[in-house]
Structure formats: C-alpha cells, structure tokens
Amino acid sequence: VVSTQSTGSHVARCPENGNEPVEGGVCSQVGIEDQARFTFTITAEQCLEEQGNLMIEFAGFGQLSVDLSTLCDCSCDSTGQDGPEVCGGNGEVRCGACSCDQGWSGEVCACP
C-alpha cells in the first residue's frame, strides 16, 4: 500500500565521511562504537485508506518497522498555537501536531 501511494528519500550520516549528510548515502564502515544516523522523508501522494507499514532493513543491524497513516480530514488553516516553544522553535503547529521545518523531525521538532 505504502509503495504505490508515497515517495521517500533518505540522508545518511556515516563515520567514513565525517558524519556529513549524504543524500541517498550508504554507510559501509560502521565500527562497534561508531554511530550512523539516517533521516527518512516519506511523502504521501494521496490519502491512505488504511494504515500502511514500511520496513527499512539495515544490513548487518536488523530491521526498522514504521507504521504510516495520513491525516486527510483536517481543515485547520491556522496554527492555533503560537510561540517558538511549542515546536522547539523548529516548526509550527498545524491541526494539533508540529509540522517541522526542513531538516528537523520528531514530535516537537527536536531531532536534527
């Protein structure tokens, strides 16, 4: 369901490139104490009729399962809440949830 109604991309931050962001990057030299960070962007092309599931596999590390749903009946045009503290100064509230600025994610836009 998700693959036909959404598009996605990712940015990798790998130890072998100094943790610099690389669009579509692959980390191949992650040691025991090293960290690799991935940021995924999923864009719904249309409303999902039911919740979808996306499996992301990290070779040698396992899988991440992400449940996806779309909010399509929201008629909110205004933010309803003001002030930078609501979404960590990195987004604004739309339809009762933070809509994060580019490069930020998480429930309150606190994850770069």
Side-chain angles (χ1 to χ4, degrees), residues 31-43:
I32 298 296
E33 298 289 325
D34 291 337
Q35 290 185 5
R37 292 177 40 194
F38 297 88
T39 303
F40 293 88
T41 302
I42 308 295
T43 303

Side-chain angles (χ1 to χ4, degrees), residues 14-32:
C14 309
E16 65 260 27
N17 66 9
N19 291 314
E20 291 296 317
V22 176
E23 182 75 32
V26 176
C27 297
S28 60
Q29 299 174 15
V30 181
I32 298 296

